[in-house]
Amino acid sequence: MPKDRPLAGVRIVEIEGIGPGPFAAMMLADLGADVVVVHRPRSGPVIGLMDCPVTDRGKRSLVLDLKSDADRDVVLKLLVHADGLIEGFRPGVMERLGLGPDICHAVNPRLVYGRMTGWGQDGPLAERAGHDLNYIAMAGALWSSGPDDERPTVPPTLVGDIGGGALYLVAGLLAGIIAARSTGNGTVVDAAIYDGAAHMQNLLMSIAGSVEDGPSAQANPLVGAHWSRTYRCADGGFVSVQCLEPKFYAEFLGKLGLSEDTDFVEHQFNKDAWPGLADRLALIFAAHKKSHWEELFDGSDACVAPVLSPRDAFAHPQNMARQTWHEVNGALQAAAAPRFDGQIPAPPAETHGRGQDTDAILTSLSEHAGWPERPDT
């Protein structure tokens, strides 16, 4: 692991899970942390799970049966010298496995114990099953995703699992590690998608001001406007438009030759006029291919951008300049983010197979009774 990355020297133990937990651990590994993921034994393939998912890149893999006393003791040995732990089970599961916070803090008082759940560690829903859409629905984040009186739009899991879950877990772990280094005391991070999805709405609330309950008073002022949506082009492609500020809206109208159209000029924020104006724009955009609109708005501040697939994004000049997307063994991966001044963005790290590092880690623990150093350090 390169020593010039911001989290070089930080040690994380990840207990295998799905979704936001592995993503959070991947992000820490991308930033330089040494992450050992404890995978569970498998007798065969599991539907929907890959043997070498992108979220395992940059980590070392150790296969252990946490129901075995001997394997549980291996985890505790790792935790003695770890800065943080990530687990994503329902509340109480780690305790039943003998790896709850009290036991882990007994072997390492400085450990930051990161818990990733949908509903949180307490409350009437804590034990209930759920998925991304359920969490953001209950948190109020889905309510503002559709125009008045229309069915809320189902967003990608980026809103709940990643935005409200993984990124808040990363923030909590890093805050806890900083505190532990000055106080000597670890903590438990209770990262719930429900909480994070609700917290993210503070930005919308600051834009919309106070809102009343009810379908006619959506909290998201960017939903429904003719200047904040996607439009289909003649070739079936789409462009995105979101020119909120009046100066950008004026440039948008100028590019389309609508600067003298009083309906557009005078009714940017008139919700009653939005449907009709959107219909007119739909006809305009449908008259030409996506490439035409890309060329027309290229270099402008009209806040118009094509809707690209990851493969199209990979080929775009912006990516050619920043190298955000990489092709690894024929598949696309996005590079680590954010970036740091003076550092050249590294390509995605290698993804180890399940259990690839088991023998090396067990041998190192047996011989040195400390954190198993990576062979590349």
Side-chain angles (χ1 to χ4, degrees):
M1 180 65 64
K3 293 180 171 59
D4 60 345
R5 296 191 186 182
L7 296 185
V10 173
R11 299 161 170 175
I12 303 294
V13 175
E14 174 198 350
I15 307 300
E16 181 183 12
I18 59 174
F23 188 95
M26 179 200 73
M27 186 170 181
L28 294 171
D30 283 346
L31 296 177
D34 187 1
V35 179
V36 172
V37 55
V38 178
H39 283 121
R40 286 168 278 176
R42 284 188 195 166
S43 58
V46 179
I47 295 176
L49 296 179
M50 299 172 59
D51 284 334
C52 295
V54 173
T55 50
D56 275 351
R57 74 186 186 192
K59 306 173 185 178
R60 288 184 286 171
S61 172
L62 175 69
V63 171
L64 296 174
D65 181 359
L66 298 184
K67 295 180 180 179
S68 158
D69 290 341
D71 283 2
R72 185 201 65 153
D73 288 345
V74 171
V75 175
L76 292 175
K77 288 180 181 178
L78 283 170
L79 293 179
V80 169
H81 300 281
D83 295 291
L85 175 145
I86 291 175
E87 66 95 359
F89 296 120
R90 290 200 207 185
V93 172
M94 286 290 279
E95 284 81 354
R96 291 193 291 274
L97 290 170
L99 290 169
D102 291 345
I103 292 175
C104 293
H105 281 143
V107 301
N108 181 0
R110 298 167 61 93
L111 182 72
V112 179
Y113 194 108
R115 316 199 79 164
M116 183 74 258
T117 61
W119 302 114
Q121 295 297 313
D122 51 31
L125 299 179
E127 300 288 342
R128 187 182 300 180
H131 282 298
D132 183 279
L133 189 64
N134 310 125
Y135 308 138
I136 66 174
M138 288 289 289
L142 188 63
W143 174 70
S144 59
S145 69
D148 294 357
D149 299 318
E150 292 188 17
R151 184 175 65 184
T153 302
V154 179
T157 56
L158 303 179
V159 175
D161 280 356
I162 306 306
L167 299 186
Y168 280 83
L169 177 58
V170 168
L173 283 165
L174 294 180
I177 290 171
I178 291 172
R181 289 185 171 181
S182 61
T183 66
N185 297 317
T187 188
V188 176
V189 179
D190 178 3
I193 298 171
Y194 173 79
D195 296 339
H199 183 265
M200 289 194 298
Q201 290 183 93
N202 285 319
L203 176 61
L204 285 178
M205 295 304 213
S206 70
I207 296 174
S210 178
V211 297
E212 301 293 335
D213 288 338
S216 62
Q218 298 287 8
N220 189 347
L222 303 179
V223 172
H226 60 288
W227 45 262
S228 180
R229 60 174 62 201
T230 58
Y231 291 95
R232 184 185 293 272
C233 306
D235 56 357
F238 292 87
V239 293
S240 66
V241 176
Q242 196 167 70
C243 41
L244 167 63
E245 295 85 349
K247 65 178 180 180
F248 299 149
Y249 181 68
E251 184 161 349
F252 171 71
L253 296 182
K255 286 289 184 179
L256 293 179
L258 298 172
S259 296
E260 305 300 323
D261 191 311
T262 55
D263 287 340
F264 281 100
V265 173
E266 297 178 1
H267 297 295
Q268 180 182 2
F269 298 109
N270 181 356
K271 295 182 69 173
D272 292 335
W274 286 352
L277 296 177
D279 288 343
R280 288 182 59 186
L281 287 178
L283 291 174
I284 292 173
F285 281 105
H288 297 281
K289 295 180 179 180
K290 184 174 66 173
S291 59
H292 168 84
W293 301 116
E294 289 187 75
E295 182 178 349
L296 177 67
F297 288 102
D298 183 40
S300 80
D301 282 338
C303 301
V304 177
V307 177
L308 303 179
S309 68
R311 179 58 64 179
D312 290 338
F314 173 72
H316 192 275
Q318 178 69 9
N319 187 65
M320 295 295 101
R322 287 188 64 84
Q323 294 294 297
T324 298
W325 283 102
H326 290 255
E327 188 167 28
V328 180
N329 297 324
L332 293 180
Q333 293 186 31
R339 302 183 183 195
F340 298 88
D341 186 45
Q343 293 188 8
I344 300 174
E350 178 187 1
T351 301
H352 286 197
R354 294 175 62 86
Q356 179 176 330
D357 307 287
T358 299
D359 291 342
I361 291 174
L362 293 178
T363 299
S364 180
L365 284 175
S366 175
E367 293 179 350
H368 306 294
W371 182 264
E373 295 300 327
R374 298 177 66 104
D376 55 355
T377 57

Short mmCIF file of all heavy atoms in Angstrom, two decimals, residues 4 339-345:
data_model
loop_
_atom_site.label_atom_id
_atom_site.label_comp_id
_atom_site.label_asym_id
_atom_site.label_seq_id
_atom_site.Cartn_x
_atom_site.Cartn_y
_atom_site.Cartn_z
N ASP A 4 2.11 7.32 0.70
CA ASP A 4 1.81 8.74 0.57
C ASP A 4 0.32 9.03 0.53
O ASP A 4 -0.09 10.17 0.36
CB ASP A 4 2.47 9.30 -0.70
CG ASP A 4 1.98 8.60 -1.98
OD1 ASP A 4 1.37 7.52 -1.87
OD2 ASP A 4 2.21 9.15 -3.07
N ARG A 339 -9.67 13.69 -4.52
CA ARG A 339 -8.26 13.77 -4.85
C ARG A 339 -7.55 14.75 -3.92
O ARG A 339 -8.19 15.56 -3.27
CB ARG A 339 -8.08 14.22 -6.31
CG ARG A 339 -8.78 13.28 -7.27
CD ARG A 339 -8.56 13.66 -8.71
NE ARG A 339 -9.32 12.75 -9.57
CZ ARG A 339 -9.13 12.63 -10.88
NH1 ARG A 339 -8.20 13.35 -11.47
NH2 ARG A 339 -9.85 11.78 -11.58
N PHE A 340 -6.23 14.65 -3.89
CA PHE A 340 -5.45 15.48 -3.00
C PHE A 340 -4.34 16.18 -3.77
O PHE A 340 -3.71 15.60 -4.65
CB PHE A 340 -4.87 14.64 -1.86
CG PHE A 340 -5.94 14.00 -1.01
CD1 PHE A 340 -6.46 12.76 -1.35
CD2 PHE A 340 -6.43 14.65 0.10
CE1 PHE A 340 -7.46 12.17 -0.60
CE2 PHE A 340 -7.44 14.07 0.86
CZ PHE A 340 -7.95 12.83 0.52
N ASP A 341 -4.13 17.44 -3.42
CA ASP A 341 -3.16 18.27 -4.12
C ASP A 341 -1.78 17.63 -4.13
O ASP A 341 -1.29 17.17 -3.09
CB ASP A 341 -3.09 19.65 -3.45
CG ASP A 341 -2.20 20.60 -4.23
OD1 ASP A 341 -2.34 20.66 -5.46
OD2 ASP A 341 -1.38 21.29 -3.59
N GLY A 342 -1.16 17.60 -5.29
CA GLY A 342 0.20 17.10 -5.41
C GLY A 342 0.29 15.60 -5.60
O GLY A 342 1.40 15.08 -5.75
N GLN A 343 -0.83 14.91 -5.60
CA GLN A 343 -0.82 13.46 -5.78
C GLN A 343 -1.43 13.09 -7.12
O GLN A 343 -2.48 13.62 -7.50
CB GLN A 343 -1.59 12.77 -4.66
CG GLN A 343 -0.96 12.90 -3.29
CD GLN A 343 -1.65 12.04 -2.25
OE1 GLN A 343 -2.51 11.25 -2.57
NE2 GLN A 343 -1.26 12.22 -1.00
N ILE A 344 -0.77 12.21 -7.81
CA ILE A 344 -1.30 11.71 -9.08
C ILE A 344 -2.32 10.61 -8.78
O ILE A 344 -2.00 9.65 -8.07
CB ILE A 344 -0.17 11.14 -9.96
CG1 ILE A 344 0.85 12.24 -10.26
CG2 ILE A 344 -0.73 10.55 -11.25
CD1 ILE A 344 2.08 11.74 -11.00
N PRO A 345 -3.57 10.74 -9.28
CA PRO A 345 -4.57 9.71 -9.01
C PRO A 345 -4.08 8.33 -9.44
O PRO A 345 -3.60 8.15 -10.57
CB PRO A 345 -5.78 10.16 -9.83
CG PRO A 345 -5.58 11.63 -10.01
CD PRO A 345 -4.10 11.83 -10.10
#
